Amino acid sequence: MKVTGLSWTTFRLPLRAPFRTAAGEITCREGLLLRLSTDAGIVALGEASPHPALGPAAVREFEETLERLAPGLLGADVDCLEELAPKLPPALACALDTAVLDALARARGVSVARLLSERPSASVPVNATIAAESEVQAAAQARAAREAGFRCVKLKVGMARSLEDERRRVAAVRAALGPEIALRLDANGAWDAETAVWAIRSLAEFGLELVEQPVSPAHLEEMARVRAAVEVPIAADEDVTDIEAARRVLEAGAADCLVLKPMVVGGLRAALEIAEEARRARASVIVTTTVDTGVGTAAALHLAVALPAEGPAHGLATGALLAADIVAQPLPAHDGRMAVPEGPGLGVELDEGALARYGVGAREVRW
């Protein structure tokens, strides 16, 4: 199967409300939608949405890279394109990897998950995410998550003015959830090691499933110290940027769990390789989006169902944070689970009207 065309559209999607974490606040999601056309009449999809902290310059870099590379890709075998991934920015590598897998799966009439695993699950458990700063709002969102059927909630922390404020907020969320629902915290690297140990020990009474990235990335010795000092499991997120970084986390004893973001590690197959490394080290993995459109979310969902079914809930239920999407049927969570879309490939179709409305620029290179 040969590549006959590449086209891309940049987009800017508003969020329903500002989303604030210890790492900063975002009000929109910017990225690039990639379409790969083949001589079999298939048009496959991929999404490149860089971390919001990188800003619009990252999307412009993606466009410039595609402008340079696209003419040389016309006529190439689709399954050879994965060789480009190490030369691309991670989010763009993810888009290309996803599009290639989408094309190959559509050609075979199977799902992307079926390419990644012989026995993928039909659905996976997912967590709700709460970033509201006030106790009242956080508790209200926790009640809404419980009523919607979520069995796991992730609460963003590290933004409070004091540990006492943090305790009150976590206590309010736990009270709203009740004792049955798993509660995990995500500090986005907001604490130093001493503060992290103090905070986690203080908050452990609220029944924590895990704490994600308690200290800033690239401080694996501090992460390992925190992990050794507390009973609550520790997850590494911002430290997991590729297979080598994941190995360093595991070798340092810095985490019980690795958070895999396809947009960050360079695609689904790169993430799958990291998941296998984690399995060998007896660490669990959580697949999450970076607040992606339905295209990126579908890709991450196919990855999640390809992993062993006994793992923790995944961070895929982020579509509701967007005020609009570019897929015709956004991927919802039902009773705390998300199911793989039916149909071959990714199983999603574009909403061309939404793409025209929220698209910023478009380009096409054809054979």
Side-chain angles (χ1 to χ4, degrees):
M1 189 164 53
K2 305 288 187 181
V3 177
T4 58
L6 284 171
S7 63
W8 54 92
T9 303
T10 57
F11 58 80
R12 190 172 190 271
L13 293 173
L15 269 59
R16 292 185 185 277
F19 187 74
R20 185 164 182 260
T21 72
E25 179 180 277
I26 61 172
T27 58
C28 67
R29 199 68 182 96
E30 296 178 279
L32 178 147
L33 173 76
L34 179 67
R35 287 190 252 206
L36 185 154
S37 302
T38 77
D39 58 359
I42 292 169
V43 179
L45 305 175
E47 176 182 345
S49 291
H51 192 285
L54 298 177
V59 180
R60 289 195 296 272
E61 180 188 352
F62 296 167
E63 293 184 275
E64 292 167 1
T65 301
L66 288 172
E67 288 278 3
R68 185 175 70 255
L69 293 178
L73 301 181
L74 300 181
D77 288 330
V78 168
D79 54 5
C80 291
L81 297 186
E82 65 178 292
E83 298 172 7
L84 279 174
K87 306 172 186 176
L88 301 175
L92 187 55
C94 179
L96 187 62
D97 183 52
T98 300
V100 167
L101 289 170
D102 190 27
L104 295 174
R106 287 176 187 255
R108 299 177 194 179
V110 300
S111 69
V112 166
R114 188 66 180 77
L115 288 185
L116 299 175
S117 169
E118 291 184 0
R119 297 177 182 175
S121 303
S123 66
V124 288
V126 293
N127 66 265
T129 300
I130 297 174
E133 292 184 68
S134 79
E135 296 169 41
V136 173
Q137 290 176 320
Q141 290 182 15
R143 282 190 292 272
R146 183 191 66 200
E147 291 165 4
F150 285 96
R151 305 303 300 165
C152 178
V153 165
K154 178 165 79 171
L155 176 65
K156 295 287 188 177
V157 295
M159 301 173 284
R161 290 171 295 181
S162 68
L163 180 57
E164 207 44 55
D165 287 345
E166 200 85 87
R167 279 181 56 82
R168 283 194 292 268
R169 185 164 163 271
V170 175
V173 168
R174 171 50 79 194
L177 292 176
E180 305 286 328
I181 295 175
L183 175 61
R184 59 180 65 155
L185 307 182
D186 183 3
N188 289 111
W191 300 322
D192 59 31
E194 183 179 355
T195 303
V197 171
W198 182 42
I200 294 169
R201 285 177 174 173
S202 175
L203 300 171
E205 68 177 274
F206 300 112
L208 305 181
E209 179 196 39
L210 58 84
V211 175
E212 199 173 305
Q213 200 68 43
V215 303
S216 59
H219 292 84
L220 296 183
E221 289 185 7
E222 290 191 15
M223 281 271 282
R225 277 209 316 276
V226 173
R227 182 183 176 223
V230 302
E231 295 183 3
V232 178
I234 300 300
D237 178 357
E238 284 85 349
D239 273 311
V240 183
T241 54
D242 56 29
I243 183 69
E244 293 303 324
R247 286 177 181 145
R248 288 193 293 272
V249 171
L250 296 169
E251 289 167 2
D256 304 276
C257 177
L258 302 184
V259 177
L260 303 183
K261 293 175 176 172
M263 291 288 173
V264 172
V265 301
L268 306 187
R269 285 176 283 197
L272 200 61
E273 185 181 3
I274 295 172
E276 177 58 23
E277 196 81 13
R279 185 194 66 78
R280 287 194 290 266
R282 298 186 179 180
S284 59
V285 298
I286 296 171
V287 179
T288 80
T289 74
T290 52
V291 190
D292 309 328
T293 75
V295 175
T297 299
L301 178 54
H302 281 273
L303 169 65
V305 300
L307 298 175
E310 67 272 12
H314 298 283
L316 306 175
T318 54
L321 297 173
L322 297 171
D325 207 331
I326 59 172
V327 296
Q329 296 292 331
L331 304 173
H334 293 296
D335 292 326
R337 299 187 71 87
M338 287 178 68
V340 177
E342 295 181 0
L346 290 176
V348 296
E349 300 297 332
L350 294 177
D351 181 338
E352 297 291 353
L355 191 58
R357 189 158 52 251
Y358 296 104
V360 179
R363 179 79 167 87
E364 182 175 26
V365 178
R366 298 194 68 82
W367 198 5

